[in-house]
Amino acid sequence: MIAQLPADLLTDLESRGLVAQMSSEDEFRAHMAGGSRTLYSGFDPTADSLHIGHLVPLLALRRFQLAGHKPVALVGGATGMIGDPSFKAAERQLNSTDVISGWVDRLKGQLEQFLDFDCGVNSAVVVNNLDWTKDLSVLDFLRGIGKHFSVNAMIQKESVKQRIEREGSGISFTEFSYMILQSYDFAELYKRYGCTIQIGGSDQWGNITGGIDLARRMHQGHVFGLTLPLVTKSDGQKFGKTESGAVWLDPKKTSPYAFYQFWMNTADADAYKFLQYFTFLPVAEIEAIREEDAAASGRPKAQSVLASEVTRLVHGDAGLLAAARITGALFSGDLSDLTEADFEQLRLDGLPSTKCTSDSLGIVEALVESGLATSNRAAREFLSAGAVTINGKKIVGEEVPINRDAALYNKYIVLKRGKKLFHLLSF
RNA sequence: GGAGGGAUUCCCGAGUGGCUAAAGGGAUCAGACUGUAAAUCUGACGCGCGAGCUUCGGUGGUUCGAAUCCACCUCCCUCCA
């Protein structure tokens, strides 16, 4: 899974298109070349799981670690209580401290699975910024830290500018202070771990440069920042969203199957870029896949390679196997080839499924009960559009009973709505 | 504290007494074409099989009739202090 180390980390990152901005570039390069460095990236608890948007910085930490550097994954127990205003259109609702501390624990566990904590000097560390902020008094904060910040400079930051200038929005003092907290994190990690590099999404540039300045002012430290590009899609839509919302890393929130399918549906125009962003495949290898796809007609390989690689990275070999099993059965195989045990396995693998509550129900009812349609009306609409399939056979009218007789092995019915939404009903 | 502006269906945004389940755009979904891609075209997009029912920040009122008028309340924004 872990590809061979690139000869030069920065060169590799650049050729992958993973570098958006660097602070004092020449010095940064020299710094990187000078030995094993400590770097960090922060992850705020805004939900009970990380999602694929977090994957780029998270995998970047790992890229650095593979290149011999020491990654510090910071969970924002403190910053998560404030809310990062960077490029956000509106003020966010504060979550309760209990909820946030629960999320912190969840995130820690997820972060850990991507890093190596037992590899000697460059073993990873997970920290929580609440540790150094919870006992900070207001006066110490204002005198010791706030004094280093110029409000004039802060309101010039692009990341909060629209909130300040745009009519109809605004920014609370709470969110406005976010930058100071994140800057303090960098200064503190510099002091504690000799951390000299912060990485993050390009939306974090303002916060990162704030930290660079603070580390110098408080500790005379010379530290650096590197930002990763924001993941964009060729059609301009937001990356990482599906019909059912965000794509989570937690298998309980997004099954490995759904996760795999998300990557399978990547547009051609994005697939090779995503291979560079989200996998550890060498650039040359990705280039070879691109050429092969271009030469061949029909379906490209890129999406399936992408789906396999990322699913394995996040859900391991077992998760990938389960996802691939379901995908194979539903999209390429013939359902009648499946054994009874296969169906049971599909259910265990995470194919959405329900157990029928009664022995026989109508097709409309079945569509609603399985969640494939949100209302009877919608269900009828799908039926009249010819969008519904039972065990591979297209349904015409509404008078189709769903019962054991219609089921494979008198037990299983695979409902399909649209091209790629499946549901397993069992009796 | 004062003055003004605003809150519409997922989002943006029209609508200022009946013709409004509410223009238009976006997003989303389905069908066709394909390759589980993109683009394009077609259709759907509150709930109900239907008659119809429930919606326009909240509560009450005026009216035969209200998203539209009145009162109070909540929240947001701008300017002044």
Side-chain angles (χ1 to χ4, degrees), chain A residues 89-202:
Chain A
E91 186 85 11
R92 285 194 286 174
Q93 196 69 41
L94 291 177
N95 292 296
S96 80
T97 53
D98 283 355
V99 166
I100 291 172
S101 74
W103 291 349
V104 164
D105 294 337
R106 304 283 296 270
L107 295 209
K108 272 186 179 168
Q110 290 185 327
L111 292 170
E112 282 165 4
Q113 83 187 68
F114 289 88
L115 300 169
D116 191 341
F117 290 83
D118 188 24
C119 57
V121 288
N122 69 328
S123 293
V125 182
V126 174
V127 298
N128 181 352
N129 58 14
L130 190 61
D131 292 346
W132 54 82
T133 45
K134 64 172 189 286
D135 295 324
L136 191 62
S137 81
V138 188
L139 291 177
D140 288 342
F141 173 76
L142 291 175
R143 290 174 62 91
I145 303 166
K147 198 70 178 166
H148 295 295
F149 287 84
S150 145
V151 168
N152 308 46
M154 285 171 75
I155 60 175
Q156 289 306 314
K157 301 265 180 186
E158 209 51 55
S159 49
V160 293
K161 227 173 180 171
Q162 59 162 3
R163 283 282 289 283
I164 290 168
E165 290 174 356
R166 188 186 157 209
E167 191 165 326
S169 67
I171 185 167
S172 65
F173 179 72
T174 308
E175 285 197 5
F176 187 61
S177 319
Y178 184 93
M179 199 186 98
I180 299 182
L181 275 191
Q182 182 167 333
S183 298
Y184 182 50
D185 288 343
F186 200 176
E188 186 66 19
L189 288 176
Y190 171 73
K191 196 175 83 183
R192 291 189 180 203
Y193 297 98
C195 175
T196 51
I197 301 161
Q198 179 179 180
I199 64 172
S202 58

Side-chain angles (χ1 to χ4, degrees), chain A residues 52 239 259-266 274 278 306-307 310:
Chain A
I52 53 176
F239 168 77
F259 188 85
Y260 182 92
Q261 282 296 320
F262 168 81
W263 296 104
M264 277 302 279
N265 282 296
T266 303
F274 288 1
F278 295 101
L306 177 66
V310 188

Side-chain angles (χ1 to χ4, degrees), chain A residues 207-249:
Chain A
N207 294 335
I208 292 174
T209 52
I212 292 173
D213 292 340
L214 187 63
R216 188 181 56 247
R217 291 186 176 136
M218 288 180 81
H219 309 298
Q220 293 74 50
H222 194 175
V223 299
F224 304 89
L226 178 145
T227 62
L228 307 153
L230 232 54
V231 183
T232 55
K233 295 210 299 179
S234 57
D235 59 7
Q237 285 171 29
K238 204 164 156 54
F239 168 77
K241 289 280 194 257
T242 66
E243 188 192 353
S244 45
V247 179
W248 303 99
L249 302 193

Side-chain angles (χ1 to χ4, degrees), chain A residues 311-380:
Chain A
T311 305
R312 181 161 47 210
L313 216 45
V314 174
H315 296 298
D317 286 320
L320 173 59
L321 190 67
R325 260 198 305 251
I326 300 177
T327 297
L330 298 180
F331 288 91
S332 45
D334 187 341
L335 289 173
S336 55
D337 289 345
L338 297 175
T339 65
E340 194 168 349
D342 288 338
F343 278 107
E344 200 46 45
Q345 185 60 49
L346 291 184
R347 202 217 316 243
L348 293 174
D349 283 344
L351 175 63
S353 60
T354 3
K355 184 137 179 61
C356 289
T357 44
S358 66
D359 281 348
S360 180
L361 60 168
I363 179 69
V364 172
E365 201 181 346
L367 284 168
V368 174
E369 206 163 296
S370 62
L372 291 180
T374 49
S375 69
N376 292 1
R377 247 176 79 89
R380 293 198 166 88

Side-chain angles (χ1 to χ4, degrees), chain A residues 32-45:
Chain A
M32 285 292 293
S36 174
R37 305 303 183 188
T38 300
L39 75 151
Y40 100 94
S41 186
F43 301 87
D44 273 2

